[in-house]
Amino acid sequence: MFISKSDYLLYKQCPKAIWYKFKTPKVFDKNANQMRLDKGNQVTEHARNLFPNGSLVPYSSNRDKMASTTKDLIMKGERTIYEAAFGIDGLFVICDILHLDKDGWKIYEVKSSTSIKERNLDDLAFQYHVVQHFLPIHSTLIIHINNKYVRNGELEVTKLFSITDLTDELKERIFRIQADVSNIHSIGYNFSTEPKQDIGIHCNKYGKEDFPCAAKEHCWSHIPEHSVFDITRIGKKAFDLYYDGITSISDVPNDFKLSEAQKVQVFAYKENRSLIDLNNIKEYLDCFRYPLYFLDFETYQQTIPLFNGISPYQQIPFQYSLHIQESSNGDLEHKEFLAKEGTDPRRVLAERLTKDIPKGSCSVAFNMAFEKMVLKGLAHNFPDLEDHLMDIHDNMVDLMVPFQKKWYYKNEMKGSYSIKYVLPALLPNDESLNYQTLTIQNGSMAMEIYEQLHTYPKEKIETIREHLLAYCKLDTYAMVKVFDHLNSSVQKKSS
DNA sequence: GAAAAGCCGACCGCGAACCT
DNA sequence: AGGTTCGCGGTCGGCTTTTC
């Protein structure tokens, strides 16, 4: 039995999680996110340029082979080794970059993230623990993305990455590894006995980072559909209820302290009815001035910036959809834009947008903070269009507010005010609003696929572009329908 | 009358929610 | 992964009340 770095990290998250992995390895394979892995590899390859002309240990499922290749390279006097592999006492690690300089051997771990996380420290401690059996290690360091870098001409790897020496922070952790490892072994050697471990905040978190556990479906199977964990912004307090034996929202005691939004949600569920505050909704909708421009941007991010003036992970708008409604029962007009794949879309998009939305128009977005951010970014990039873009920015209203403020709440929303929950709750039987039939069903799918689009064959590109257009168009169409629904609710009341 | 105890609102930092 | 917004929860200053 071999314990890898990821096994160790999983154990640190929760001993029951590693037990579940040993028991059902397939579930964990299935959950591996290939997209994320590819991105990580791409970043690692760029980071190798910080220490050029090293030797690569080719990946092999045979761990001993990788370890012996590594050993040969060290014996031959190689000073820079990529994917250096070591195994001892049932532990196995691969170091992204192992480098010998005037101080001694250094272990570099490459991360595509922009900051150092708690789990990275455990990761490096584990590597140090194993590798020190073979080489005297001078220091252990993290290489991660510096998102303050702005590309200007050729890519400058020394500016793209930040290097942090973590040697001192690891000492405490290295002490604990031996004990952790023997625990992992005993779990692995008799996985017929399930570790006693109740659910807790560790299920969602590892240190400060979001890290949903793959064992959740197993450990959380006794939690009902509308549970105390679904109460909006409840945080740790849900576990106070849970440890008192309360799991369903219907059992929340009446004297339990809740915020206003939480009260609405709990009351609606207990009474099994919707809560609609038409006065506030009407007052809010009065700010919407026809013609209405329903706007939705799609953006994507490049970990390694490909265009000038772009930072790592910067939101780059590449597409928008626009539904224009002339009056309350007027016709709908649709406009759209989708940039050519593989090019910097910003200028063309900004120009088209300023043609499609005249100055002084009232535009509508769902969670307008996002659309406003994109507009601000474009205005900053193109001073000649700044006036017009900021005019759109300043005349925008937000369709999300009535749901965020819980003026309109249905149990189907499960405490959420995202469009994903709001739309089916308001218009459950409208087939024209069914995202399930689309190939691209949400923003993350759109950003992932557009980033790769220029690498696809020509025929495939056309098809995917059609899917992208269909998805974005449905987003703004859904907004129109939600607005109409709110509007007619208000009309019905006043008539 | 002075020190200790109690109380409340302002402030701030952090996390959660939303969009992509 | 990013930015923005909002609200929870903890801290702290300043005020009032209690106690000897």
Side-chain angles (χ1 to χ4, degrees), chain A residues 71 78 103 125 132 155 159 176 180 193 198 222 230 243 250 269 273 305 308 339 348 377 384 397 399 454-455 480:
Chain A
K71 198 176 172 188
E78 179 60 77
D103 303 322
Q132 65 167 347
L155 192 69
K159 290 182 182 168
R176 292 199 294 264
D180 290 341
T193 47
D198 203 352
H222 60 302
D230 295 323
Y243 295 131
S250 36
Y269 186 74
R273 67 184 182 92
N308 273 341
V348 195
D384 59 318
V397 290
L399 193 54
H454 65 280
T455 65
V480 174

Side-chain angles (χ1 to χ4, degrees), chain A residues 80-119:
Chain A
T80 303
I81 303 171
Y82 313 130
E83 309 294 298
F86 301 90
I88 191 166
D89 299 338
L91 310 180
F92 182 76
V93 297
I94 299 174
C95 306
D96 287 331
I97 300 171
L98 188 68
H99 179 67
L100 175 66
D101 67 13
K102 58 177 183 359
D103 303 322
W105 286 100
K106 294 180 178 176
I107 300 172
Y108 291 91
E109 171 70 14
V110 182
K111 288 284 160 222
S112 54
S113 58
T114 56
S115 60
I116 296 163
K117 311 279 162 60
E118 185 75 15
R119 58 186 281 104

